[in-house]
Amino acid sequence: MLGRLRQMLIKEFLHVIRDKRARFFLFAPPVIQTLVFGYAATLEIKHVPIAIVDYDNSQVSRDLVSRFQASRYFEVRRLSDRREIPELIDRNEATMALQINSGFARDLGKGETAHLQVVVDASNSNSALVGLGYVNQVAQGFAREYRLKTLARQAPALAGGLPEIVVERRPWYNPDMSSQWFFVPGVIGNLVLVIVVTLTAFAVVREREIGTLEQIMVTPIRRVEFILGKTIPFFLIGLLDTALISAAGTLWFHVPLNGSFLVLGAGTVFFILCMLGVGLFISTVSATQQQAMVTSFFFIMPAVIFSGFGSPISSMPEILQHLTYLNPLRYYEVVLRSVYLKGGGFGLLWPQMAAMAAIALVMLTVSVLRFQKSLE
Amino acid sequence: MNGQPQAVVVQDLVKRFGDFTAVDNISFEASRGEIFGFLGPNGAGKSTTIRILCGLLHPTSGKALVAGVDVAREPERVRQNIGYMSQKFSLYNDLKVIENLRFFAGMYGVNQADAAERIAWAIDMAGLTGREHLLTGTLAAGWKQRLALGCAVLHRPPIVFLDEPTSGVDPISRRLFWELIHRMADEGVTVFVTTHYMDEAEYCNRLVLIDRGRIVASGSPLELKLKSMEGELLLVECDQVGKALEALQEAPGVTDAAIFGHALHLVVPDAERAIPEVRNYLGERGITVSRIEQIRPTLEDVFVSLTSLKGRREKEQA
């Protein structure tokens, strides 16, 4: 038994070492994805290009414009004619345009409501929403001060005792609200998913395609020996990749690992077991590497989207929210971010661990049962 | 062998894939130490039968015993006793010669002491001495084929199944390979081999001809040649072979006509009477006969006359 398993493992590692594609697959995606998510992927929206047409051209309106110019959220471009706006937006040189009509200062001075018009390119609805929020913030801040100033001039006695609410921000676990801190731990889950599922599926299907699987099946090898031989290497590779990305996250991006390695390791083991089960399952339903690739893709895309890696599960439609409970990545992302940023331990994360263990058990059992030592 | 004299026993074996019947109720037996040839055109059901015998496919009905064990019921017990070489000589191209051998020795559970000796034997047998550390993918087809055979028999199986072992291999390598097969048979190994090369069929002790899933003839090569052809065989060399074939197919007194290399083979009821008649018949149509004589049928003639190949050749000719 051990002799056979040992030979299987030697062979699998030789394949990985000698196969250029597999070698590339082991190290390139972790590096590239960590860099991409570490640097480029960010939920923050900064430097929104905004065009401003000021037809009022008063002291007050200039004051308002300068507030936009001072904000780090906007890149202001002054226009003299609003007819320039459509072309600017079409060419993506501005995503927003603010128009201050003449009479703005006069209306405010009379104590009336003054109107600002904002045009926004809402083809990206998310950044449009965020941009509008920023504009609102600047405008409201300006209005508040204007009101206070007016009040101070006209009724100084009242101005001092005006009630105010100030929101004091206390962002826990990620005081700078850094996107990197959010994404780098999360990307571990994505990568382990992609690497373990595809490598496992391909390792079996490739042998089916070149005919060696048939050769192995006529030997007295036992099903469990074959499956262990096929999964142990990718189990270890999954762990290695996790270690690699964790090291990059800590040493390069300075994401703190507040929880324990042990909890992170336990979660990773359960998750990798799930992915081995998925990979084996794909290999039992695919006859060629091409089929395996397409099938993997059908699994990987929804698994990542419905994991909470990028967009929060709580904002998905309710029925989809229920479906995410079947997705092992959903639990692993919780474990990753909790261990990294919140310092979560077993006491907190056991439901996620248990869910992953259950999914792993089901997937592995189904795949092992489906895997027969025959060609039918 | 469990006291069983027969290495392979097949009874009323049927294998269907959906509506398609790949193996249609065949029965045969192969004895110990015999080279058993399984002949037929592509798609005749040869590989399907061999895969059933190796426990890779389940028979739809009927029975297959290998080394006295029912393959469908106890495939694992059969696997200890067989070596199998599939059509593609399935080796790992990205592993070295020695690594392939070590891997298969491990798979067959050959014990450490024995493994070293068997691997050395296989390297010698395949003529790969000094090439142990080459990547298998870089070897020429003949070497790969012998290495695949070596890998398949590391555990000294009493029965070996070879599925089209010589396809895509040069003639010298084919000859060498058949010498290896004969050596194994001399040592008491039963060799079950499929082929569509007729010259190779002559090397077998016993043949079964299969076409479209059915057995069309069986026996020793000589028996087949004598029994399976009704009538006698004429070789005709002439100009305008195509025209001659067309004419002869409709000629009275000619049972069958087929192209054979650059000449024609005719099946006639009585060779002596037919020779002058054929010469005249072709002469009347402006075809000059350079040679005409009675010959002993080769297996290829038997094969053509018994299988669908005949119809196919005529079509190709047309």
Side-chain angles (χ1 to χ4, degrees), chain B residues 236 238-259 264-268 277-289 314 317-318:
Chain B
V236 181
C238 60
D239 56 357
Q240 307 172 68
V241 176
K243 192 178 163 195
L245 176 72
E246 224 168 278
L248 285 167
Q249 273 165 346
E250 284 153 24
V254 175
T255 320
D256 201 359
I259 296 267
L264 293 172
H265 280 191
L266 305 185
V267 180
V268 293
E277 281 175 16
V278 169
R279 199 186 284 277
N280 285 340
Y281 185 80
L282 290 178
E284 282 164 20
R285 284 158 181 78
I287 298 163
T288 320
V289 174
E314 280 163 8
Q317 201 56 44

Side-chain angles (χ1 to χ4, degrees), chain B residues 108-153:
Chain B
Y108 283 112
V110 180
N111 67 48
Q112 295 264 307
D114 214 17
E117 186 209 319
R118 289 300 284 169
I119 289 172
W121 168 86
I123 288 170
D124 179 55
M125 184 262 313
L128 284 166
T129 310
R131 291 185 168 84
E132 295 92 334
H133 293 284
L134 286 182
L135 284 182
T136 305
T138 63
L139 298 178
W143 271 321
K144 264 195 207 171
Q145 171 211 39
R146 291 192 293 273
L147 178 60
L149 178 67
C151 287
V153 299

Side-chain angles (χ1 to χ4, degrees), chain A residues 4 7-8 11 14-15 18 207 209 211-212 214-221 373-376, chain B residues 15 51 56-58 76 79-80 84 86 88 90-92 94-95 99 102-104 106-108:
Chain A
R4 253 197 300 260
Q7 287 299 333
M8 276 293 293
K11 174 186 83 80
L14 287 173
H15 285 323
R18 300 225 172 109
E207 292 219 33
E209 220 174 48
T212 44
E214 192 172 330
Q215 203 66 46
I216 290 180
M217 287 194 299
V218 293
T219 73
I221 192 171
K373 271 184 80 182
S374 82
L375 297 172
E376 285 165 294
Chain B
K15 178 67 192 177
R51 283 176 172 156
L56 289 170
L57 293 175
H58 280 280
E76 289 306 324
R79 286 186 180 122
Q80 301 283 354
Y84 168 62
S86 71
K88 297 194 223 166
S90 307
L91 297 163
Y92 296 99
D94 54 340
L95 296 195
E99 289 165 347
R102 279 194 203 125
F103 173 70
F104 281 105
M107 290 304 102
Y108 283 112

Side-chain angles (χ1 to χ4, degrees), chain B residues 211-212 249 255-258 301 303-316:
Chain B
D211 185 35
R212 293 174 199 167
Q249 273 165 346
T255 320
D256 201 359
D301 295 303
F303 196 66
V304 170
S305 85
L306 288 175
T307 68
S308 56
L309 256 183
K310 187 176 134 192
R312 243 179 270 166
R313 278 209 181 168
E314 280 163 8
K315 255 184 227 149
E316 272 167 33

Side-chain angles (χ1 to χ4, degrees), chain A residues 256-317:
Chain A
L257 177 58
N258 292 324
S260 85
F261 254 125
L262 193 70
V263 183
L264 184 66
T268 303
V269 165
F270 286 129
F271 181 66
I272 294 177
L273 289 175
C274 292
M275 293 305 104
L276 290 173
V278 172
L280 277 178
F281 183 80
I282 290 172
S283 78
T284 63
V285 296
S286 316
T288 63
Q289 297 191 55
Q290 220 163 11
Q291 282 175 15
M293 198 171 77
V294 175
T295 319
S296 304
F297 188 72
F298 273 120
F299 168 75
I300 290 168
M301 284 298 286
V304 172
I305 290 169
F306 296 117
S307 68
F309 166 74
S311 46
I313 291 172
S314 53
S315 45
M316 292 172 192

Side-chain angles (χ1 to χ4, degrees), chain B residues 228-240:
Chain B
S228 301
M229 296 215 22
E230 287 173 26
E232 292 174 313
L233 193 66
L234 289 185
L235 171 90
V236 181
E237 283 180 14
C238 60
D239 56 357
Q240 307 172 68

Side-chain angles (χ1 to χ4, degrees), chain A residues 29-43:
Chain A
V31 173
I32 294 168
Q33 288 223 34
T34 313
L35 289 176
V36 165
F37 282 102
Y39 283 119
T42 165
L43 294 175

